[in-house]
Amino acid sequence: MMSISPIAGNASYYASQDNYYVLGSLGSRWMGEGAKMLGLSGQIKDTVLDQIKQGILPNGIQISRKVKGKETHRAGYDLTFSAPKSVSVLALIGGDQRFIEAHNAAVSVAMQEVEALSSARITKDKKTATVLTGNIVAALYHHDTSRDLDPQLHTHALVFNATHAEGKWRALASDTKMKTGFSETVMANQVALGKIYRHSLRHAVEKMGYKTHETGKNGLWEMEGVPVTPFSQRSQTLREAVENDASLRTRDIAVLNTRKAKVASDPLILVAEWKARLQETGFHLADFINRTKAYQQEKQTASRQEKQTVTHDIAQAINHAISLLSDSKIQFTYSDLLAKTVGQLPAEPGVFERVRQGIEAAIEQQRVIPLDKEKGIFTSDIHLLNELSLHQLAKTTLRENRVLSFPERAQVRERPYVDAYSVLAQDKPPVAILSGQGGAAVQRERIKDAVMMSLSQGREVKILAADRGSGAWLAQEKHLAGQVIARSQLTAELTLLPQSTLVIDQAEKLTLKETLLLLEKGQEQSVQLLFMNSEKRPGTGNALSVLKEAGVPHYQLYGSQPLATVVVSESDKRIRYEALASAYAEMKWAKTAVVTQVNGQREQAALTAAIRTQLKASGQLDKVDTTISVLQPVWLDSKSRHQRENYRAGMMMEHWDNEKKAMHRYQIDKVIDSSNTLRLISETGDVRAEKINKLDSSWSLFAQKK
């Protein structure tokens, strides 16, 4: 994997003997075109590194600067590349030098891509822009042991805050607002850069004859048959600190928060301990190597039979990335577009340069439209067209559609209207927005009022739920049961009864595209659309604001009652959860409707466990646990279906054969970065390969859960 952090210390911090107990020293080296310009090569001298860290280059040029007497120069960035644990085990315990060479080569491949992202901020004619420079000054330190004294082959690639552009040395670009700077671009493409390192290393390891398998998302892998659990104390610490599906940014923070102080250990004693741990697993290195040789011969034969030519359509990947970003963001950065595009393509050298050329072509074709002079923030032609179409269609609907009443079908109201609904009932607008804060119960009552108002006018009513959970909650109200339709039904095939009313739950979450489709349906069938705005986080493009700008009437709702709240102050989370679980069990025993809530998967699991314990203790739950293996659907649309990051080894896929009217199930054996292909194995053991960018709606994806 690859992590990013600021450069932490001086030369002694990275060059200390404490960092490489086992092999004495794995060495250090300079890297980058910028380093060559400064005459830096070979082993790193501490004094030179410390000066560059302070912004003083070997040629005497100083790029550090002071603001109001305070030094503002940033040293640079530590990009740490860590080999899979199984590689570290065979390199450091097995003593196979080839793994160290493969790791170093893979780091070099990834760092060449990092160098391609280097940039500086240059001002001309009072205009400042971010310009690519293509050169860095990097110091690479190779270490072999983790802070938990486990074997861990890793390299600290220190990218110093210096680059050469237009005849002078400058600091690397930083742009926290437009996200066009070097650090922002590297951070946005952390996954892609990590994949390039892992793919290069994996290719070398498999070429040596070793079998590998994926162990997690973003291309994490290990060598088959090599025990890693006894040597993964650091990984266990991180698992306890963050959830399994945590983002790379969250994991990076956890790495810093959980790191131990460096401690020294005798190399001979340490290796002896490692070998003892390895022997306890029953692993025999000689037998493993013999099996590897047999596999290598088998693989070479299969490789000759399955060899194929791979082509990649950069333009198609960019189009998918633009469409994907347009569905989730009003505007996006250059780094966003670069990362989303690279994520669809094979992790191979030169991919960033090819994608950059493709993005420039997309800008010229106005597929993406710059929102700033530096071309750092963009919107898409898709978004602009949707916004313009929605604005125009809303105006047309208000002008041409009429809301009719049908007294012969009218139902008697159970209660008087609140003021907003009284006005709404008189105005009868074909499109309206009703806004008001409040919890789920309050929003359900407001939807009930909207339904009762429509029924009192003799109009049929349907409710479009925000999601499955909201739909189930609304359907619990007897006046709404049978009228709720799911958001998943919002497609071109959706049909609505003419002169009916559609109430849209949590309409602030709608995208421009969804809102446009609703207005099209409303205009075709003269359906009154009531957009219920609970004033939570707005959706992409904030469609309701576009409707307001088009003149759609807006009604404000007031009068919700606050919930009675009791605050219990207790610093120990375990005690808090036990108390909450006890109260839950008591209320459950008394047949009182009760719900507990907490944020985060890890916290939810902890609270659920506490509640189960209390329910077992009170005899409300059986004391024997049952674990069931299930397949959990992974939601994919036409765009996310082609994102390689969504697929991992071990996942299941189903394919509907429309000709034979049969469903076939496969397990993902391997995600092949180099060809952007899935290797699938059927239930009968048959193997097939599927291009990720060729998958269509006949394929479904599932994650295996317990």
Side-chain angles (χ1 to χ4, degrees):
M1 60 179 290
M2 186 196 86
S3 61
I4 305 173
S5 61
I7 292 178
N10 55 21
S12 63
Y13 178 88
Y14 293 99
S16 170
Q17 185 71 20
D18 289 347
N19 290 309
Y20 33 76
Y21 310 97
V22 177
L23 301 180
S25 171
L26 291 177
S28 63
R29 58 187 169 112
W30 291 101
M31 184 179 179
E33 293 300 317
K36 290 180 182 178
M37 294 180 195
L38 295 172
L40 299 172
S41 62
Q43 195 79 9
I44 299 168
K45 293 183 179 179
D46 291 0
T47 54
V48 175
L49 183 137
D50 287 339
Q51 280 195 324
I52 298 177
K53 177 178 175 288
Q54 296 169 19
I56 304 171
L57 304 182
N59 55 14
I61 294 175
Q62 186 165 335
I63 56 176
S64 62
R65 66 190 184 98
K66 293 184 177 181
V67 176
K68 295 181 180 180
K70 185 178 180 181
E71 179 60 57
T72 62
H73 181 73
R74 289 171 288 108
Y77 312 95
D78 179 354
L79 311 185
T80 304
F81 296 88
S82 298
K85 184 62 66 175
S86 53
V87 172
S88 296
V89 167
L90 289 193
L92 303 173
I93 304 177
D96 194 331
Q97 185 71 25
R98 294 178 302 166
F99 289 106
I100 297 174
E101 294 170 357
H103 164 76
N104 291 341
V107 170
S108 296
V109 169
M111 286 301 295
Q112 286 168 6
E113 297 302 310
V114 171
E115 188 163 43
L117 301 175
S118 60
S119 58
R121 300 277 287 172
I122 297 177
T123 301
K124 284 185 178 180
D125 301 324
K126 298 182 179 180
K127 294 181 179 179
T128 303
T130 302
V131 178
L132 290 176
T133 62
N135 64 85
I136 59 172
V137 180
L140 274 58
Y141 285 92
H142 310 298
H143 299 162
D144 65 14
T145 309
S146 74
R147 289 172 180 265
D148 292 270
L149 300 184
D150 281 331
Q152 184 191 358
L153 189 61
H154 63 285
T155 295
H156 292 274
L158 310 183
V159 180
F160 291 101
N161 193 16
T163 189
H164 193 269
E166 300 196 5
K168 63 180 292 187
W169 286 93
R170 310 167 186 266
L172 287 165
S174 178
D175 184 4
T176 56
K177 183 178 180 181
M178 301 299 182
K179 306 296 184 184
T180 62
F182 170 75
S183 61
E184 294 83 11
T185 303
V186 171
M187 185 69 74
N189 291 280
Q190 180 181 0
V191 171
L193 291 166
K195 281 184 176 180
I196 288 172
Y197 159 75
R198 290 190 294 273
H199 172 66
S200 178
L201 179 58
R202 188 175 191 175
H203 177 73
V205 168
E206 290 183 343
K207 194 174 181 180
M208 290 160 58
Y210 292 95
K211 202 171 185 178
T212 65
H213 66 280
E214 293 190 16
T215 58
K217 63 181 182 179
N218 299 324
L220 295 176
W221 59 270
E222 292 289 354
M223 298 162 63
E224 284 194 8
V226 180
V228 297
T229 303
F231 307 101
S232 303
Q233 298 176 84
R234 185 71 173 133
S235 297
Q236 180 60 35
T237 301
L238 286 175
R239 279 195 294 272
E240 293 172 356
V242 299
E243 296 174 0
N244 291 335
D245 292 330
S247 67
L248 283 174
R249 178 59 178 161
T250 302
R251 290 183 65 84
D252 286 348
I253 294 172
V255 166
L256 295 175
N257 290 342
T258 61
R259 66 193 317 188
K260 295 181 178 179
K262 293 181 179 179
V263 294
S265 177
D266 185 281
L268 296 178
I269 295 176
L270 193 60
V271 173
E273 290 176 352
W274 289 348
K275 288 182 176 179
R277 270 191 254 170
L278 190 61
Q279 288 177 355
E280 288 174 1
T281 67
F283 178 79
H284 298 285
L285 184 60
D287 292 344
F288 179 75
I289 292 174
N290 289 333
R291 291 196 303 271
T292 297
K293 290 178 179 178
Y295 168 70
Q296 184 176 25
Q297 294 176 353
E298 175 189 327
K299 186 174 183 295
Q300 288 173 345
T301 303
S303 177
R304 287 191 292 269
Q305 294 172 348
E306 299 175 4
K307 192 173 181 180
Q308 57 180 335
T309 303
V310 181
T311 58
H312 315 296
D313 191 337
I314 298 288
Q316 185 181 36
I318 290 173
N319 287 341
H320 273 293
I322 292 170
S323 185
L324 195 66
L325 289 167
S326 297
D327 281 350
S328 59
K329 297 183 178 182
I330 303 172
Q331 59 188 36
F332 46 86
T333 65
Y334 188 99
S335 296
D336 289 334
L337 183 54
L338 187 67
K340 283 295 181 186
T341 305
V342 170
Q344 301 174 63
L345 299 169
E348 57 189 18
V351 65
F352 284 98
E353 179 58 31
R354 293 194 294 276
V355 171
R356 281 188 181 279
Q357 294 172 1
I359 292 175
E360 289 302 316
I363 294 172
E364 291 178 6
Q365 297 163 7
Q366 295 190 327
R367 291 298 324 281
V368 287
I369 297 94
L371 298 178
D372 66 309
K373 61 184 179 181
E374 296 184 35
K375 297 181 180 179
I377 295 181
F378 299 87
T379 190
S380 67
D381 58 345
I382 300 170
H383 178 82
L384 292 181
L385 181 60
N386 285 341
E387 191 172 288
L388 183 63
S389 300
L390 180 59
H391 190 278
Q392 187 60 45
L393 187 55
K395 281 183 169 295
T396 302
T397 301
L398 290 170
R399 185 174 62 250
E400 298 180 357
N401 283 24
R402 294 292 177 266
V403 176
L404 304 179
S405 295
F406 304 93
E408 68 279 7
R409 301 202 305 255
Q411 296 184 18
V412 179
R413 313 197 292 271
E414 292 184 350
R415 59 191 182 194
Y417 297 136
V418 296
D419 289 344
Y421 287 106
S422 296
V423 178
L424 180 66
Q426 295 174 20
D427 293 346
K428 294 182 181 177
V431 185
I433 302 170
L434 295 99
S435 299
Q437 295 182 352
V442 172
Q443 296 300 333
R444 185 167 69 177
E445 284 301 304
R446 288 172 176 168
I447 290 175
K448 178 181 174 182
D449 283 337
V451 169
M452 298 307 295
M453 182 207 69
S454 301
L455 292 174
S456 70
Q457 295 176 346
R459 301 173 63 83
E460 296 287 338
V461 189
K462 289 293 182 184
I463 306 163
L464 184 67
D467 50 48
R468 185 181 299 176
S470 296
W473 167 250
L474 293 171
Q476 290 177 16
E477 167 59 54
K478 65 178 182 178
H479 293 92
L480 307 182
Q483 296 168 316
V484 179
I485 59 177
R487 182 72 65 87
S488 59
Q489 293 178 248
L490 183 51
T491 65
E493 288 72 38
L494 176 66
T495 57
L496 298 170
L497 191 67
Q499 285 297 336
S500 64
T501 295
L502 180 66
V503 181
I504 299 99
D505 172 41
Q506 299 178 52
E508 72 277 3
K509 295 182 179 179
L510 290 169
T511 65
L512 286 171
K513 188 180 295 184
E514 289 171 331
T515 311
L516 185 60
L517 179 57
L518 282 171
L519 255 69
E520 289 173 349
K521 295 293 181 182
Q523 189 184 44
E524 288 171 4
Q525 303 296 331
S526 293
V527 175
Q528 182 185 37
L529 301 174
L530 301 182
F531 292 92
M532 307 299 296
N533 175 20
S534 60
E535 299 185 356
K536 297 176 183 176
R537 189 177 67 178
T540 305
N542 197 358
L544 296 188
S545 67
V546 178
L547 293 180
K548 290 176 185 177
E549 290 173 3
V552 170
H554 180 214
Y555 301 85
Q556 191 68 43
L557 300 167
Y558 302 98
S560 61
Q561 292 294 322
L563 292 172
T565 305
V566 177
V567 177
V568 179
S569 179
E570 171 54 61
S571 60
D572 190 319
K573 182 171 65 176
R574 181 181 57 82
I575 297 176
R576 289 202 307 272
Y577 282 2
E578 287 177 356
L580 185 58
S582 178
Y584 178 94
E586 289 176 9
M587 295 177 73
K588 202 76 173 173
W589 183 265
K591 307 298 183 184
T592 304
V594 56
V595 175
T596 60
Q597 289 182 229
V598 67
N599 288 335
Q601 292 181 6
R602 186 175 294 278
E603 300 303 312
Q604 289 167 358
L607 179 56
T608 298
I611 289 174
R612 285 179 176 165
T613 299
Q614 290 291 337
L615 292 177
K616 289 177 181 178
S618 62
Q620 299 180 69
L621 192 66
D622 192 83
K623 295 185 177 181
V624 178
D625 287 336
T626 301
T627 302
I628 302 173
S629 297
V630 297
L631 292 181
Q632 179 176 301
V634 178
W635 185 85
L636 297 174
D637 60 12
S638 59
K639 297 152 194 172
S640 57
R641 184 177 291 116
H642 297 151
Q643 290 283 319
R644 189 170 63 243
E645 63 193 34
N646 291 321
Y647 301 89
R648 298 195 296 276
M651 283 183 160
M652 304 298 294
M653 296 191 73
E654 288 184 348
H655 181 242
W656 173 252
D657 189 331
N658 199 40
E659 291 184 4
K660 298 181 180 179
K661 305 299 180 185
M663 185 72 77
H664 303 285
R665 180 173 290 179
Y666 301 87
Q667 184 172 34
I668 299 178
D669 177 59
K670 194 173 184 180
V671 181
I672 306 172
D673 291 351
S674 60
S675 58
N676 206 36
T677 302
L678 299 177
R679 187 175 188 269
L680 306 175
I681 299 179
S682 71
E683 293 176 304
T684 58
D686 296 328
V687 178
R688 66 183 289 176
E690 289 291 333
K691 289 284 187 182
I692 295 175
N693 59 1
K694 299 297 183 183
L695 296 175
D696 58 23
S697 58
S698 65
W699 288 91
S700 301
L701 180 65
F702 301 88
Q704 299 193 73
K705 299 288 183 180
K706 298 281 188 185

